[in-house]
Amino acid sequence: LNREPAIATVQSAAAADPAHAAAPIDTRSRSFADALAINGKFASQRMTGVQRVGYELAAAFLRLCPEGSAPLVLMPSDANADVKLPRAKTLRGSMAGNLWEQLALPFSTGGRTLLSLCNIGPLFARRQVLMIHDVAVYDLPENYSWKYRLWYRFAYSVLKSRVERIVTVSE
């Protein structure tokens, strides 16, 4: 399996054709805030590095938005009640875990662009920006069960061609 195209495809498309490069986003505009939904699955997981980054970036987006306007934060039913995002418009789903993320979340966005900040998002949500922190399932496969590796490898193979943008925290 070649793991580079998932990231390189997006980067090279923007580099080869400036028309595909992302335009600067004015995060202070009401239209930006209203057009964005945040995948809040991080609120239902143990707060490790990836989930902490997801939480902190969601909180930062909320602070950037004008008063009275904020992205919708979508959370599964098992989200930890202690995870608070000030000023967030939050919507809790009726499902939990991967089922919520894959089946309910795509239909809960209401046409907004979904921002998935923790390595994975719904496979069939096209209007999505996905943040990938690492691809350890390729680099250190022995650290993961075969089911976990299979799921993530399958998900990455689908997501790399379906999402609008992939952002990473490193090369």
Side-chain angles (χ1 to χ4, degrees):
L1 289 167
N2 184 352
R3 64 183 158 85
E4 292 180 18
I7 297 167
T9 303
V10 172
Q11 292 173 341
S12 62
D17 182 3
H20 284 93
I25 298 171
D26 181 4
T27 56
R28 295 165 299 191
S29 76
R30 181 173 294 277
S31 61
F32 165 78
D34 293 336
L36 186 66
I38 297 174
N39 178 347
K41 187 177 174 190
F42 57 81
S44 67
Q45 300 170 323
R46 191 168 58 88
M47 197 63 76
T48 62
V50 169
Q51 289 76 19
R52 172 65 60 193
V53 170
Y55 170 80
E56 295 295 341
L57 285 174
F61 274 114
L62 291 165
R63 285 191 302 270
L64 288 172
C65 294
E67 196 65 41
S69 181
L72 180 61
V73 179
L74 301 164
M75 295 185 179
S77 62
D78 61 342
N80 184 340
D82 293 335
V83 177
K84 303 276 192 240
L85 287 165
R87 296 179 42 201
K89 293 184 273 186
T90 304
L91 179 62
R92 283 188 186 260
S94 59
M95 300 171 83
N98 286 332
L99 282 178
W100 170 80
E101 188 170 49
Q102 297 304 317
L103 300 178
L105 178 59
F107 299 103
S108 302
T109 62
R112 297 172 181 87
T113 297
L114 180 64
L115 181 58
S116 294
L117 298 166
C118 296
N119 281 332
I120 200 158
L123 301 184
F124 299 107
R126 284 203 176 271
R127 296 188 64 189
Q128 180 175 194
V129 175
L130 175 67
M131 176 177 254
I132 297 178
H133 298 261
D134 63 58
V135 285
V137 293
Y138 296 102
D139 294 337
L140 303 164
E142 64 277 5
N143 291 346
Y144 302 94
S145 71
W146 69 270
K147 290 178 189 175
Y148 186 91
R149 286 193 316 261
L150 183 65
W151 166 244
Y152 268 80
R153 288 178 178 188
F154 171 73
Y156 285 155
S157 70
V158 171
L159 287 167
K160 73 181 182 182
S161 62
R162 303 227 10 129
V163 301
E164 285 184 6
R165 296 276 190 254
I166 294 174
V167 293
T168 64
V169 296
S170 67
E171 275 189 53

